[in-house]
Amino acid sequence: MTEMKPNAIAGDTIYGSDVIADALREQKFPYICLNPGASYRGLHDSLVNYLGNQTPQIITCMHEEHAVGIAQGYAKVTDKALAVAVHSNVGLMHATMGIFNAWCDRTPMLVLGATGPIDAAKRRPWIEWIHTTQDQGGLVRDYTKWDDQPGSPEAAVESIRRGVMLANARPSGPVYINLDVSVQEMELDAVPALEPLSAYDAPEDAEPPRQALDRAVDILAKAKRPFIFCGRASRSEDGFADRVTLAEMLGARTTTHMKLPAGFPTTHPALIAETGWRLKGKLLEEIRAADAILMLDWLDAGNALKLAFPPGTPRPPVINVSNDFHIHRGWNADYGGLPVADVNIPTVPETTVRALIDRLRDTRPAPAPQPPRAWSDEAQNTSGEIGLMDLARAFSRASEGRALSIVSRPLGWPTNANRIEHPHDFLGHTGGGGLGAGTSIAVGVALGLREIGSPRVAVAIIGDGDYTMGLTAIWNAVTLNLPILFLVANNHSYYNDEDHQIKVARKRGRAVENAPIGQRMQDPEPDLPGLARSLGLHSPDSVTQLEDLDAALADALDKAAAGKAVVLDVQVRPEYIGAPMQDFD
């Protein structure tokens, strides 16, 4: 951080951007993530010379998408919005992928934009004409919860208060507020008179409706083989423990989604398997054998139920717990299929699960203690090239006994591969499915862990495509002195598309061996450790042989635990893993 000069806060004149900066401070934002831009030069000055670069402190990013990704990662840990600033329409266009990720991931953030003067008579030639956009919020309106363009500093304060409240209220999501340069730079005679922030507290999560809860209790009290889909949830330890209590009380079997943050312990006997959108094997058998289904804000609940119980086939009663429908709209179908539901409880899982536990105590016997299932991660191979399953097994061994937060896992990572026993053990994927966000989200996670005083080390297990596309975000891990490991599963390919080309070629009777054309990063292969070292991170030479993997992982985790930002490049075969690492009875 650049050292502040003495007496940086001086002068009696108040500007519009000073009032806006105060509005950020009253929200207690510890940081604001930004890539500098002249359209918010007034606000930037106020953050530095009026607030003294404290609460919020500026995090300078190399790209607007990284600024948004850091805020998303921070919210994944804290469940709270962080502030972001993006430059005019061009900065917002850079940021749109990150905002879409946060929207799909249901993570809160406050994104501040800016524009040249809406009053054309006040614009500087050329630059403020191309950087002034009518209805700039329209660029992101379909994947934000709310947007605004206030016309005065006082209105901007209200916009920030409303925006933060809406962003944090569940279902959470990003909001966008666009600040006219003229509003930022106007001189004021006095600070506007405002109500205290406490008058605008965010609403608490709603309790489940009484009649719907009665019907749910009746179904679950009679069930002999209930099944629980443990979907979206806050990072509350109490909420995590309540889901375990309910499952044990009901004698239920459970599943979690590989793209969502931790929803249930993978070591608990009730968990059948982590899953993606494909329900198969023993998991599908258990779902179809159930006599009641409880869906706790499951990702794409409608299509999951349709796969398990095709239309026209018998199914058990379904209890769907979600308030996600409040933000469904027509631009994008991120909400998935419309779920069948015999009982619809329109609130968050935490309040509903707690109410179910309270109501069911008298109808279900006390659960017997459930010992954790045995965890086996014996290596199948000891030397040679490294497969994705080899990396998963080696990471499982290396992470034993360490306090880690896994931020992401690459496509093809085996199910049941990681020991997840706490809501911060695994923090899910990017949300929107676009490459390039894994690095910045990981930085935000590490920042959030430090903010809450957690000793955990953030670990991003990412592909080489995600790493190279979001590469410069890792620089912020060094500028912020964050303990973090970027573990790159490097197959030198955009392998998801390569796999699609293999399937297309087979279907059309064409040459499968041509699938890598246009997919591989080669001639030359990028020097991933060298790129990391150039940005200030510790990065040993690439690991290419299985016999070297365990020691390399242990050393990388040790260095991250000691406070370093580390990149470990592990070169793996281009492949997907179809089987789980742990296949429990």
Side-chain angles (χ1 to χ4, degrees), residues 58-79:
I58 292 172
I59 296 177
T60 306
C61 304
M62 291 189 178
H63 195 284
E64 285 90 353
E65 190 174 332
H66 301 340
V68 173
I70 291 172
Q72 183 181 353
Y74 180 91
K76 279 176 172 286
V77 173
T78 65
D79 291 324

mmCIF file of all heavy atoms in Angstrom, residues 58-79:
data_model
loop_
_atom_site.group_PDB
_atom_site.id
_atom_site.type_symbol
_atom_site.label_atom_id
_atom_site.label_comp_id
_atom_site.label_asym_id
_atom_site.label_seq_id
_atom_site.Cartn_x
_atom_site.Cartn_y
_atom_site.Cartn_z
ATOM 1 N N ILE A 58 -8.243 0.755 -0.278
ATOM 2 C CA ILE A 58 -8.259 0.390 -1.696
ATOM 3 C C ILE A 58 -7.418 -0.864 -1.943
ATOM 4 O O ILE A 58 -6.283 -0.952 -1.474
ATOM 5 C CB ILE A 58 -7.732 1.551 -2.562
ATOM 6 C CG1 ILE A 58 -8.712 2.732 -2.532
ATOM 7 C CG2 ILE A 58 -7.499 1.105 -4.002
ATOM 8 C CD1 ILE A 58 -8.176 3.986 -3.207
ATOM 9 N N ILE A 59 -7.991 -1.819 -2.653
ATOM 10 C CA ILE A 59 -7.245 -2.950 -3.203
ATOM 11 C C ILE A 59 -7.132 -2.709 -4.703
ATOM 12 O O ILE A 59 -8.126 -2.758 -5.427
ATOM 13 C CB ILE A 59 -7.952 -4.296 -2.936
ATOM 14 C CG1 ILE A 59 -8.016 -4.563 -1.426
ATOM 15 C CG2 ILE A 59 -7.224 -5.428 -3.655
ATOM 16 C CD1 ILE A 59 -8.768 -5.844 -1.071
ATOM 17 N N THR A 60 -5.934 -2.397 -5.152
ATOM 18 C CA THR A 60 -5.705 -2.107 -6.570
ATOM 19 C C THR A 60 -5.601 -3.423 -7.341
ATOM 20 O O THR A 60 -4.754 -4.256 -7.031
ATOM 21 C CB THR A 60 -4.424 -1.288 -6.756
ATOM 22 O OG1 THR A 60 -4.483 -0.127 -5.935
ATOM 23 C CG2 THR A 60 -4.252 -0.882 -8.215
ATOM 24 N N CYS A 61 -6.448 -3.603 -8.319
ATOM 25 C CA CYS A 61 -6.494 -4.834 -9.110
ATOM 26 C C CYS A 61 -6.041 -4.557 -10.541
ATOM 27 O O CYS A 61 -6.129 -3.424 -11.025
ATOM 28 C CB CYS A 61 -7.911 -5.403 -9.121
ATOM 29 S SG CYS A 61 -8.589 -5.712 -7.469
ATOM 30 N N MET A 62 -5.582 -5.586 -11.223
ATOM 31 C CA MET A 62 -5.113 -5.429 -12.596
ATOM 32 C C MET A 62 -6.227 -5.540 -13.631
ATOM 33 O O MET A 62 -5.981 -5.345 -14.825
ATOM 34 C CB MET A 62 -4.022 -6.456 -12.898
ATOM 35 C CG MET A 62 -2.720 -6.209 -12.154
ATOM 36 S SD MET A 62 -1.413 -7.294 -12.770
ATOM 37 C CE MET A 62 -0.017 -6.766 -11.772
ATOM 38 N N HIS A 63 -7.431 -5.865 -13.184
ATOM 39 C CA HIS A 63 -8.549 -6.010 -14.122
ATOM 40 C C HIS A 63 -9.836 -5.886 -13.322
ATOM 41 O O HIS A 63 -9.917 -6.343 -12.175
ATOM 42 C CB HIS A 63 -8.478 -7.376 -14.817
ATOM 43 C CG HIS A 63 -9.343 -7.494 -16.044
ATOM 44 N ND1 HIS A 63 -10.704 -7.648 -15.973
ATOM 45 C CD2 HIS A 63 -9.034 -7.500 -17.361
ATOM 46 C CE1 HIS A 63 -11.197 -7.743 -17.205
ATOM 47 N NE2 HIS A 63 -10.196 -7.651 -18.065
ATOM 48 N N GLU A 64 -10.852 -5.293 -13.917
ATOM 49 C CA GLU A 64 -12.136 -5.137 -13.214
ATOM 50 C C GLU A 64 -12.762 -6.481 -12.858
ATOM 51 O O GLU A 64 -13.406 -6.612 -11.809
ATOM 52 C CB GLU A 64 -13.107 -4.321 -14.072
ATOM 53 C CG GLU A 64 -12.814 -2.835 -14.116
ATOM 54 C CD GLU A 64 -11.873 -2.436 -15.234
ATOM 55 O OE1 GLU A 64 -11.331 -3.349 -15.918
ATOM 56 O OE2 GLU A 64 -11.658 -1.228 -15.440
ATOM 57 N N GLU A 65 -12.581 -7.475 -13.722
ATOM 58 C CA GLU A 65 -13.152 -8.785 -13.404
ATOM 59 C C GLU A 65 -12.510 -9.368 -12.150
ATOM 60 O O GLU A 65 -13.159 -10.065 -11.381
ATOM 61 C CB GLU A 65 -12.981 -9.734 -14.585
ATOM 62 C CG GLU A 65 -13.763 -11.031 -14.436
ATOM 63 C CD GLU A 65 -13.697 -11.901 -15.672
ATOM 64 O OE1 GLU A 65 -13.530 -11.366 -16.786
ATOM 65 O OE2 GLU A 65 -13.807 -13.139 -15.524
ATOM 66 N N HIS A 66 -11.210 -9.066 -11.937
ATOM 67 C CA HIS A 66 -10.552 -9.527 -10.717
ATOM 68 C C HIS A 66 -11.130 -8.823 -9.493
ATOM 69 O O HIS A 66 -11.298 -9.440 -8.431
ATOM 70 C CB HIS A 66 -9.051 -9.259 -10.781
ATOM 71 C CG HIS A 66 -8.352 -9.914 -11.930
ATOM 72 N ND1 HIS A 66 -8.876 -10.986 -12.610
ATOM 73 C CD2 HIS A 66 -7.157 -9.629 -12.521
ATOM 74 C CE1 HIS A 66 -8.032 -11.343 -13.570
ATOM 75 N NE2 HIS A 66 -7.000 -10.531 -13.547
ATOM 76 N N ALA A 67 -11.431 -7.530 -9.621
ATOM 77 C CA ALA A 67 -12.007 -6.785 -8.498
ATOM 78 C C ALA A 67 -13.325 -7.408 -8.063
ATOM 79 O O ALA A 67 -13.587 -7.604 -6.867
ATOM 80 C CB ALA A 67 -12.200 -5.325 -8.886
ATOM 81 N N VAL A 68 -14.149 -7.749 -9.039
ATOM 82 C CA VAL A 68 -15.436 -8.375 -8.740
ATOM 83 C C VAL A 68 -15.229 -9.775 -8.156
ATOM 84 O O VAL A 68 -15.906 -10.180 -7.206
ATOM 85 C CB VAL A 68 -16.310 -8.435 -10.003
ATOM 86 C CG1 VAL A 68 -17.568 -9.236 -9.757
ATOM 87 C CG2 VAL A 68 -16.674 -7.019 -10.453
ATOM 88 N N GLY A 69 -14.272 -10.540 -8.708
ATOM 89 C CA GLY A 69 -14.006 -11.888 -8.208
ATOM 90 C C GLY A 69 -13.532 -11.882 -6.766
ATOM 91 O O GLY A 69 -13.910 -12.760 -5.978
ATOM 92 N N ILE A 70 -12.692 -10.924 -6.403
ATOM 93 C CA ILE A 70 -12.245 -10.830 -5.016
ATOM 94 C C ILE A 70 -13.435 -10.578 -4.093
ATOM 95 O O ILE A 70 -13.555 -11.191 -3.023
ATOM 96 C CB ILE A 70 -11.184 -9.728 -4.868
ATOM 97 C CG1 ILE A 70 -9.886 -10.156 -5.574
ATOM 98 C CG2 ILE A 70 -10.904 -9.428 -3.391
ATOM 99 C CD1 ILE A 70 -8.839 -9.063 -5.652
ATOM 100 N N ALA A 71 -14.337 -9.691 -4.501
ATOM 101 C CA ALA A 71 -15.534 -9.437 -3.691
ATOM 102 C C ALA A 71 -16.402 -10.685 -3.581
ATOM 103 O O ALA A 71 -16.991 -10.961 -2.532
ATOM 104 C CB ALA A 71 -16.333 -8.281 -4.290
ATOM 105 N N GLN A 72 -16.488 -11.462 -4.666
ATOM 106 C CA GLN A 72 -17.276 -12.690 -4.620
ATOM 107 C C GLN A 72 -16.661 -13.689 -3.640
ATOM 108 O O GLN A 72 -17.368 -14.302 -2.836
ATOM 109 C CB GLN A 72 -17.370 -13.317 -6.010
ATOM 110 C CG GLN A 72 -18.237 -14.578 -6.041
ATOM 111 C CD GLN A 72 -18.304 -15.212 -7.421
ATOM 112 O OE1 GLN A 72 -17.817 -14.653 -8.409
ATOM 113 N NE2 GLN A 72 -18.902 -16.377 -7.508
ATOM 114 N N GLY A 73 -15.340 -13.857 -3.698
ATOM 115 C CA GLY A 73 -14.687 -14.776 -2.778
ATOM 116 C C GLY A 73 -14.842 -14.344 -1.335
ATOM 117 O O GLY A 73 -15.080 -15.170 -0.443
ATOM 118 N N TYR A 74 -14.710 -13.047 -1.078
ATOM 119 C CA TYR A 74 -14.893 -12.514 0.270
ATOM 120 C C TYR A 74 -16.287 -12.852 0.797
ATOM 121 O O TYR A 74 -16.456 -13.283 1.942
ATOM 122 C CB TYR A 74 -14.674 -11.002 0.232
ATOM 123 C CG TYR A 74 -14.826 -10.284 1.549
ATOM 124 C CD1 TYR A 74 -13.729 -10.086 2.372
ATOM 125 C CD2 TYR A 74 -16.059 -9.773 1.945
ATOM 126 C CE1 TYR A 74 -13.865 -9.399 3.577
ATOM 127 C CE2 TYR A 74 -16.207 -9.096 3.150
ATOM 128 C CZ TYR A 74 -15.102 -8.909 3.967
ATOM 129 O OH TYR A 74 -15.240 -8.241 5.162
ATOM 130 N N ALA A 75 -17.308 -12.678 -0.053
ATOM 131 C CA ALA A 75 -18.686 -12.957 0.362
ATOM 132 C C ALA A 75 -18.921 -14.449 0.571
ATOM 133 O O ALA A 75 -19.771 -14.836 1.381
ATOM 134 C CB ALA A 75 -19.664 -12.405 -0.667
ATOM 135 N N LYS A 76 -18.204 -15.302 -0.154
ATOM 136 C CA LYS A 76 -18.346 -16.746 0.039
ATOM 137 C C LYS A 76 -17.992 -17.165 1.465
ATOM 138 O O LYS A 76 -18.533 -18.134 1.989
ATOM 139 C CB LYS A 76 -17.448 -17.502 -0.945
ATOM 140 C CG LYS A 76 -18.007 -17.668 -2.345
ATOM 141 C CD LYS A 76 -16.985 -18.348 -3.242
ATOM 142 C CE LYS A 76 -17.542 -18.713 -4.605
ATOM 143 N NZ LYS A 76 -18.450 -19.878 -4.565
ATOM 144 N N VAL A 77 -17.079 -16.420 2.091
ATOM 145 C CA VAL A 77 -16.658 -16.725 3.454
ATOM 146 C C VAL A 77 -17.528 -16.013 4.479
ATOM 147 O O VAL A 77 -17.981 -16.604 5.464
ATOM 148 C CB VAL A 77 -15.187 -16.316 3.667
ATOM 149 C CG1 VAL A 77 -14.775 -16.477 5.134
ATOM 150 C CG2 VAL A 77 -14.272 -17.134 2.769
ATOM 151 N N THR A 78 -17.784 -14.721 4.246
ATOM 152 C CA THR A 78 -18.408 -13.871 5.263
ATOM 153 C C THR A 78 -19.917 -13.737 5.144
ATOM 154 O O THR A 78 -20.568 -13.269 6.086
ATOM 155 C CB THR A 78 -17.813 -12.456 5.190
ATOM 156 O OG1 THR A 78 -18.160 -11.873 3.918
ATOM 157 C CG2 THR A 78 -16.287 -12.490 5.330
ATOM 158 N N ASP A 79 -20.496 -14.111 3.991
ATOM 159 C CA ASP A 79 -21.919 -13.867 3.697
ATOM 160 C C ASP A 79 -22.245 -12.378 3.655
ATOM 161 O O ASP A 79 -23.403 -11.987 3.808
ATOM 162 C CB ASP A 79 -22.838 -14.551 4.719
ATOM 163 C CG ASP A 79 -22.823 -16.061 4.614
ATOM 164 O OD1 ASP A 79 -22.722 -16.579 3.484
ATOM 165 O OD2 ASP A 79 -22.896 -16.737 5.666
#
